[in-house]
Amino acid sequence: MSNGAGGSIGEPLTSRDALNYYFESARTPGSIVHGYVLGERPHRGHEVSIGEAVSFAESVTSFHPLFTRRLVPTPLDLTMPHWVSCDVDIERHVFLHRAPTDSGGSYLAECVARVSSQPFDYSRPTWEIHFVTGLNGAEGVPDNGTVMLFKVHHCAIDGMGTSALAHRMLAPSDADVSRFHDDDFVRRIRPIPTTAAAVARLPRELAVFAKAVMVRHRAQRRAELEGTIPSRSTTTFPATRFNRRVTPDMTFGYFVADVDDLRTVRSAVPGATVNDVLLSVVGLGLSSYLATVDETPDETLGVSFPVNVRSGSGSTTANQLAFAVVSMHTHITDPLDRVRAVASSTSRAKSEVTTRVGALPPNAASVAPAVFQRIAARLQPSAPPDPVRVSMNTMVSNIPYGAAPMEVCGAPVTGVFAPLPTVDGVNLAHVAVSHGSRMIVTVSSHVQLLPDPERYVECLRAALDTLLDAAQGFRRTPMLPATG
């Protein structure tokens, strides 16, 4: 029922997942998009027909509840929206886009930006499958190639869960997918409360929330005084053009890298991870790009990255990530010294995040009532139009897809990417997705801030080359400037 009246049953959003619903806006989209580059199908070429696309979608709807239920709000947001089972018109969720013959490599970027920015229609399940066909000139895509875009809402699943789901959806028929069940959460199907019942229990929910705020605050102060957890960092970084507030108009670019190149750099710095190398690539590339527009900051820049806090014991929330912020050490000139500094910072930050999650009571946001979230979202101020200091300059995420084979309509998946929409005040986002021996690194921003994503991508590509040369012992003079 669209009005959430009693008598219906559904699964209420958890407070944590509801943040992605209530705080969604044009400046902070709530969608996840993963793209799959398809190779040639034996005897059938690259082209996928609309009939094949619909048949494929029909074949995967049993793999997750998100395919067959929609989000139903309750009157006045007196309680959380509920996932309610519904009939699904598959053809309203499947789309075919054919590239114009003279579009070159730009059409894929245009489709990604359009699909990522378009909000969902909550009157039906929040998923879409888009096939972009006839692509020519797009890096990493075969001539006359096809890319499938799988779009879901962030309140239904997170990036790691989407990866696990995709492995089940796209596995060859004889594959063992038993290990790809990362997003199988505890289900809480229950009657949807009537308006009267929601009003009656609202005072208790507000009291529970207030108590959770107080308990968390006291526990945090006590743990900080006892040294069990470190005090929260108040470090800020100089704002760049990518921290300005602009009219949303997504722009997108990417490049394809060899995973072994990042591993070569990692091997040159004991204790570093591939993610540390990736953060260093972004730091070098961002420094280089800002230098080309004469906007080199005087201090180091900061980056946010997700930390997986899955407990493995089952959870009621679809989003199980925390976030850490570290310096990218853009003041360090030597490329490998920069990777060492980044590795040290990320190791400390990840330890602090996991320690904090384990030592403290749940964040009060995990029990925040729907009415509170709705009011908070409406009252939340926009980011300053032109800030001087910020808590972070950019975002970086790394999603390992592994090497398990995947296929769509008989075509092998030869590459995976995942554009990340930016958020208000942090208008530059990067995601690296590795599948097999390839890693596709994407960048998202807005046209006013990044009118030339191709140039920025070349800065990132050159940054990886600089790190690789250093790791291989060539020790050339770095072509990318440091800040500060």
Side-chain angles (χ1 to χ4, degrees):
M1 286 184 182
S2 61
N3 63 0
S8 297
I9 61 171
E11 180 180 352
L13 274 183
T14 67
S15 294
R16 171 64 183 84
D17 295 331
L19 294 172
N20 293 297
Y21 173 75
Y22 286 116
F23 286 82
E24 182 179 21
S25 70
R27 298 184 187 280
T28 306
S31 299
I32 294 174
V33 176
H34 284 204
Y36 305 90
V37 181
L38 307 187
E40 188 163 0
R41 302 182 295 174
H43 313 299
R44 286 188 287 174
H46 295 292
E47 198 78 19
V48 174
S49 69
I50 187 63
E52 289 176 309
V54 170
S55 294
F56 166 75
E58 289 175 337
S59 72
V60 301
T61 56
S62 63
F63 285 100
H64 197 284
L66 68 83
F67 289 107
T68 55
R69 60 186 189 177
R70 64 188 183 93
L71 200 57
V72 177
T74 55
L76 303 177
D77 295 299
L78 292 171
T79 190
M80 286 295 172
H82 283 60
W83 293 111
V84 176
S85 296
C86 63
D87 294 330
V88 184
D89 183 352
I90 297 292
E91 293 185 3
R92 299 188 69 186
H93 294 263
V94 180
F95 306 88
L96 208 60
H97 314 270
R98 179 159 183 81
T101 54
D102 58 350
S103 62
S106 64
Y107 187 74
L108 177 59
E110 294 168 4
C111 280
V112 168
R114 185 168 62 253
V115 169
S116 299
S117 303
Q118 184 68 31
F120 275 110
D121 175 359
Y122 287 104
S123 69
R124 54 181 183 260
T126 53
W127 64 273
E128 295 174 359
I129 294 176
H130 297 254
F131 285 86
V132 188
T133 68
L135 293 167
N136 288 289
E139 181 179 357
V141 180
D143 289 341
N144 197 35
T146 295
V147 169
M148 186 187 82
L149 304 176
F150 177 47
K151 177 181 177 181
V152 292
H153 199 281
H154 215 320
C155 65
I157 198 168
D158 65 11
M160 293 294 290
T162 303
S163 170
L165 172 58
H167 274 291
R168 299 204 299 277
M169 290 169 51
L170 311 184
S173 58
D174 58 347
D176 177 11
V177 296
S178 59
R179 66 187 184 279
F180 298 120
H181 282 264
D182 183 63
D183 59 337
D184 282 347
F185 304 112
V186 176
R187 304 296 171 193
R188 304 175 304 147
I189 305 299
R190 58 188 60 176
I192 299 176
T194 63
T195 299
V199 169
R201 74 186 198 184
L202 182 58
R204 179 181 177 277
E205 290 182 347
L206 290 170
V208 169
F209 175 58
K211 181 179 179 180
V213 171
M214 188 165 46
V215 168
R216 170 86 175 195
H217 177 68
R218 288 175 177 173
Q220 181 169 313
R221 288 192 63 185
R222 182 169 59 251
E224 289 175 352
L225 289 172
E226 295 173 351
T228 307
I229 63 172
S231 300
R232 281 196 175 277
S233 173
T234 57
T235 302
T236 60
F237 304 94
T240 73
R241 62 166 48 209
F242 298 110
N243 299 112
R244 299 173 191 160
R245 189 173 76 229
V246 296
T247 301
D249 188 3
M250 183 177 172
T251 187
F252 166 78
Y254 72 95
F255 75 99
V256 181
D258 190 325
V259 174
D260 284 342
D261 287 347
L262 284 89
R263 290 172 177 161
T264 296
V265 179
R266 178 196 63 185
S267 299
V269 182
T273 66
V274 168
N275 196 60
D276 297 328
V277 177
L278 178 63
L279 295 180
S280 301
V281 167
V282 170
L284 281 165
L286 178 55
S287 296
S288 179
Y289 182 83
L290 292 174
T292 67
V293 293
D294 197 25
E295 296 177 7
T296 301
D298 295 329
E299 303 172 45
T300 184
L301 301 176
V303 60
S304 166
F305 66 96
V307 179
N308 189 351
V309 293
R310 282 165 164 73
S311 66
S313 59
S315 172
T316 60
T317 179
N319 289 267
Q320 300 189 59
L321 298 173
F323 291 86
V325 177
V326 297
S327 167
M328 291 191 287
H329 299 284
T330 51
H331 60 293
I332 298 177
T333 303
D334 181 87
L336 295 186
D337 284 346
R338 187 181 293 200
V339 178
R340 291 186 188 95
V342 168
S344 176
S345 294
T346 58
S347 176
R348 183 169 57 252
K350 286 185 284 189
S351 176
E352 290 176 0
V353 167
T354 53
T355 298
R356 186 177 296 274
V357 169
L360 295 180
N363 193 297
S366 65
V367 293
V371 67
F372 176 87
Q373 292 202 30
R374 171 60 77 188
I375 293 172
R378 290 181 176 177
L379 296 179
Q380 183 184 35
S382 298
D386 197 6
V388 176
R389 308 289 301 184
V390 292
S391 60
M392 70 189 81
N393 298 104
T394 184
M395 303 178 290
V396 176
S397 185
N398 182 11
I399 304 176
Y401 255 75
M406 296 185 289
E407 64 179 40
V408 180
C409 299
V413 173
T414 61
V416 184
F417 62 91
L420 178 67
T422 63
V423 300
D424 193 22
V426 189
N427 293 305
L428 182 66
H430 311 77
V431 179
V433 181
S434 54
H435 178 237
S437 63
R438 303 174 84 189
M439 174 180 282
I440 301 182
V441 182
T442 66
V443 54
S444 305
S445 186
H446 296 289
V447 171
Q448 287 180 253
L449 305 176
L450 189 66
D452 49 359
E454 301 84 3
R455 186 160 97 175
Y456 184 78
V457 163
E458 287 309 310
C459 289
L460 294 176
R461 200 191 309 264
L464 177 55
D465 289 343
T466 296
L467 290 170
L468 185 60
D469 286 349
Q472 292 172 334
F474 290 107
R475 296 289 179 179
R476 301 173 186 165
T477 300
M479 63 181 293
L480 301 176
T483 60

